[in-house]
Amino acid sequence: MTTKKVERRIKIKFRIRKNVFGTAERPRLSVFRSNKQIYAQVINDLTGKTLASASSLGLEAMPKKEQAAKVGEKLAAAALAAGVTSVVFDRNGYLYHGRVKELADAARNGGLKF
């Protein structure tokens, strides 16, 4: 059973995904945010492969915004190690605000170009 809030996010997600597509040169940075954790991955949509990923598992001791910033830093380091410097940001239907914004800013500071 889905709530109106989840249905709204899914509609927004599909609207975004019509236009956002990851290639080998510019893969897609996808963010998933749950109530307790935040996950991010860099995906090449042409091959369907995940090139780099990071999550906040194991960082529960710190506040959620700091967790998101750490995940952004870890993801940027993993993406750069995989040879990715430029990405397309997919906020996955979430507002570009709070934890999603913190993750994106930290990934930018880590060396990724959006």
Side-chain angles (χ1 to χ4, degrees), residues 102-113:
E102 287 289 326
L103 188 143
D105 290 343
R108 277 193 194 96
N109 292 339
L112 289 180
K113 293 183 183 83

Side-chain angles (χ1 to χ4, degrees), residues 61-72:
M62 57 180 63
K64 290 180 186 177
K65 277 191 170 183
E66 289 180 23
Q67 287 179 15
K70 288 280 188 194
V71 170

